[in-house]
Every structure is written in C-alpha cells, then in structure tokens.
Amino acid sequence: MNRININTIALAISLGFSAGAMAEGMTKTDYSAGKDKISADYKAAKTACASLSANAKDICIAEAKGAEKVASAELEATYKPTPKTRYQARVAKAEADYGVANEKCDDLAGNAKDVCVKEAKAAQTTAKADAKAQTKTTDAQVIAQSKTVDARSTASAKTTEARKDATADKVDAQYAVAKEKCDTKAGAAKDDCLAQAKANAGK
C-alpha cells in the first residue's frame, strides 16, 4: 500500500464519519465498526510496508501509524463531539504529520538534515498552537454566549491571549529554523545571518 492509499484511507474514514454519522449521531455499533475498520486498514498498510526497506520502510510505517492515529482521533471526535475530542483530533494530525516529516529527514545529512528536522518541528508547533488557540477561542465564545457583558469581555481577552500565545509559539519555531540555516555560514556572514534571524523574530 503506497502513501496515497494510506492517506486515502484516513480521508475516507474521516469523511465517512464526519459527513454521515455526525449528521445523524453515531451509534455504539457504528463506533465499534469504525474501530474495527481502522484496525484492519492499519494492519493492511503495515503489512504492505514489509516489502520496502531502509528509510522508505520507516516512512511507510510512520504514515500507517499516523493515518491510524488520525482516524481514531476523528472517530472519537465524531462519536463524542466535544471541544476536547476535536482538539485531540487536530493534535493527532499535527503529530502524524511530524512523525512522517521527521522520518523523511533521515534521507538527508548534515545541516540539510538539521534544517529539515527543525522545519518539521516548526510545522508541528504551528499546528498545535493553532489547535490550542482554536479550542480556547471556542471555549471563550461559549462562555460569552451564556454569560453577561462582563463575561463577553473576559472571553474576548482570553481569545486575544490565546492568539498571542499561538503567535509567540510560531515565531519561536521559525526562529529556530532560521538559526539552524545560519550554521551553513561562517564568520561575519553567520553573524549577519543570526542578527537578521533575531530581528525578524523580534528578539
């Protein structure tokens, strides 16, 4: 099973549950069937990886595991749709993407590999920061809709804070990537590169 097929499995499971079951409410039987389907698809994908070797096999396994975790988290979010389960589904996607990206970095060496790893981590940090901010914003809006004007003000403040935190996390992650790229330079060129990275990050 190639990467396209694995991704298709995750997408099909996701779309199938979100479009159909979520609209009408998922029964316990549907939920159990979904778990069985995810487990079977994962075993099939993992078996297909056995025909590969070296890092290609590691990447294949990472994709299979990632697809399983994402599908499981989305199934849970569909069966029990709460801010927490939706957040966990977004985090599962971020971690799955990172796992695959990190494995792909093993095909590289030296600074190129270091930069690849930092970029994969930065993408993961960004996705998690967005997921956290979205959850906080949703929580704040729920509070705002059910409380007084004071509560709305508090909710607005929390939303602003969440977005600020998310932005800070993203800037730090991008700064780490920029610093890593400067390692290919030396002397004054490296100093200038680091200074520019620092300035762009507002540090």
Side-chain angles (χ1 to χ4, degrees), residues 106-121:
D106 284 346
D107 285 330
L108 305 174
N111 182 254
K113 181 176 180 178
D114 293 339
V115 170
C116 180
V117 171
K118 283 289 193 304
E119 288 180 332
K121 190 66 180 174

